[in-house]
Amino acid sequence: MANPIKKVCCIGAGYVGGPSMTVMADRSPEIEFNVVDKNLKRIESWNSLDLNNLPIYEPGLMKLIKKCRNKNLYFSNEIEKNIALADMIFISVNTPTKTTGLGAGQAIDLKWIESCARQIAMHAKGHTIVVEKSTLPVKTAQTIKSILDSYIKKDFGDNNKNSKTFSILSNPEFLAEGTAIEDLLKPDRILIGGDDNNAIEVLKNIYLKWVNEQKILTTDIWSSELSKLIANAFLAQRISSINSISALCESTEANISDVAKAVGMDSRIGKYFLKSGPGFGGSCFKKDILNLVYICNYYGLFEVANYWEKVITINSWQQNRIVSIIVNKLYGTISGKKIAILGFAFKANTNDTRESPAINICRKLLEEGCILNIYDPKVSIEQIDNDLKNEDLSNLNELNNEKKWQVSSSIIDAVRKTDALIILTDWNEFYNLDLEEINNLMRPPGWIFDTRNIINIKQANKYGLNIWKIGNGNLM
Ligand code: UDX
Ligand code: ADP
């Protein structure tokens, strides 16, 4: 069957919408993809001639943008026009946790989804397949459907001449940042939920261009929405499990990497997502678990809610525990001391800092009165300043007008005259630090706090550096 889709619109040009439409455009040259966003600055960055200025950093993205942009892939803020022209619309907008009102701190704020649904309802023409791509609470499709239906009735009543119709599908995106292009090109599975078999077939046909049919799973819409939430919850749970054991290893002189390896070699457990670190960050894990907790409480499943909530408790505890260790090792006070921070993104190979453990850890260190030199290869100064600033934390120390944190342009710059260096993100370039030079630049006794388990202890000791490594009880 020829695919009836000629034009696709994606609302939301973020970390999900941008890369996923780029890969689809690359694999379906006969379809026109219009990625729209209300944030004009973001659209201008996507259209930037200098590909280094793309709004997000993802390995492999630049190459595909160069190939498809302005051929069958367009970025614009012409939202209404592109909704009207589209046969299929992906909703890929942000879905943060509510900060006020009912469900604050747990439920997902659906205001962006709702506003999208209203825009679609008003401007779509003919039959349109609406696809949820953002991670959403279970039954969001029902909300979208009810908004779309209400507009159909209001605008057109029984006048069939102008009638518009919609099919709603859930097609959650499982890409991880930093490996987005690879994940999109070689997905473990594609999940499509819905009750309109024709619409499912049409979307399936787009994926069949590069994904094996066995990997395309179709379900009802609620199972699809729930599966995405649960996949993220399971992944986050593994990280909290291994992080809880990292503390036990430190107390018992065991080594977390060896324990993780031995445990992960059991094929029933598997080796992935067993790296202990400063806790998980990113836009999804915390938000999705909070949402799961909210849903369970809503349905009276309080034990289930408490069980999952502990995954987040351990995650925050891990970060606070690291801060206490740092302060204790530096003679119980870091007031006035300079500390280098290596890595601010929530993981390597992305410029995203949403929920990055670095934010919480840096804030707590600043509250203790130290001065931070922060280096990250991809995160901008503006982003770091935005993340650290709040009402209690201005960048200037009022007493002596010295900056409380500054952003350094290299590892060496960051390390100069510091008492400690803390590795918070596992960027490749941190694996081969010149420890001799670092020791020479630091104020003795120099300390390295390695929250990603990447420094060779013997090498650090050889150059006279003190070292603390996560989950390592046998440091000498
Ligand atoms: C996650 C899911 O992996 C992805 O499927 C979903 O679509 C979105 O959420 P992402 O948040 O981009 O992706 O990155 P991920 O690789 O899952 O890492 C999340 C966090 O966990 C990072 O802070 C990372 O450093 C941490 N992590 C990951 C660990 O601490 N240890 C691990 O073993 C793996
Ligand atoms: P994600 O990681 O889920 O992709 P992002 O925050 O990176 O989330 O991207 C979501 C994008 O959606 C943002 O650029 C935001 O401006 C855009 N957006 C949100 N609501 C709308 C809307 N109603 N119309 C157009 N764009 C929207």
Side-chain angles (χ1 to χ4, degrees), residues 173-175 177 228 239 273 275 281 285 346-347 452:
E173 186 45 68
F174 292 96
L175 68 80
E177 288 175 32
K228 166 68 188 187
I239 300 170
F273 269 71
K275 268 192 85 183
F285 285 173
F346 78 96
K347 63 185 279 195
R452 295 283 185 174

Side-chain angles (χ1 to χ4, degrees), residues 145-156:
K145 187 170 183 327
S146 110
I147 293 170
L148 296 178
D149 285 350
S150 67
Y151 274 75
I152 293 173
K153 284 184 201 126
K154 187 171 189 305
D155 286 357
F156 303 107

Side-chain angles (χ1 to χ4, degrees), residues 14-20 42 55-59 61 135 173-184 228 232 235 273 281-285 287 344-356 378-379 425-427:
Y15 283 87
V16 173
S20 45
R42 207 164 209 184
I56 68 175
Y57 172 74
E58 273 298 337
L61 178 65
T135 311
E173 186 45 68
F174 292 96
L175 68 80
E177 288 175 32
T179 52
I181 301 299
E182 209 185 310
D183 296 342
L184 286 160
K228 166 68 188 187
N232 277 348
L235 290 169
F273 269 71
S283 70
C284 286
F285 285 173
K287 174 187 79 177
F344 201 81
F346 78 96
K347 63 185 279 195
N349 293 318
T350 177
N351 59 345
D352 194 353
T353 62
R354 287 176 292 178
E355 298 294 337
S356 176
K378 290 290 171 196
V379 180
T425 314
D426 49 346
W427 283 101

Side-chain angles (χ1 to χ4, degrees), residues 8 26 43 112 114 126 154 175 185 267 277 311 314 335 365 373 387 389 452 472:
V8 165
D26 179 53
I43 290 299
W112 288 273
E114 187 180 331
K154 187 171 189 305
L175 68 80
L185 287 171
S267 59
V311 172
I314 290 287
S335 178
L365 292 170
N373 289 349
D387 287 335
K389 255 183 217 152
R452 295 283 185 174
N472 278 250

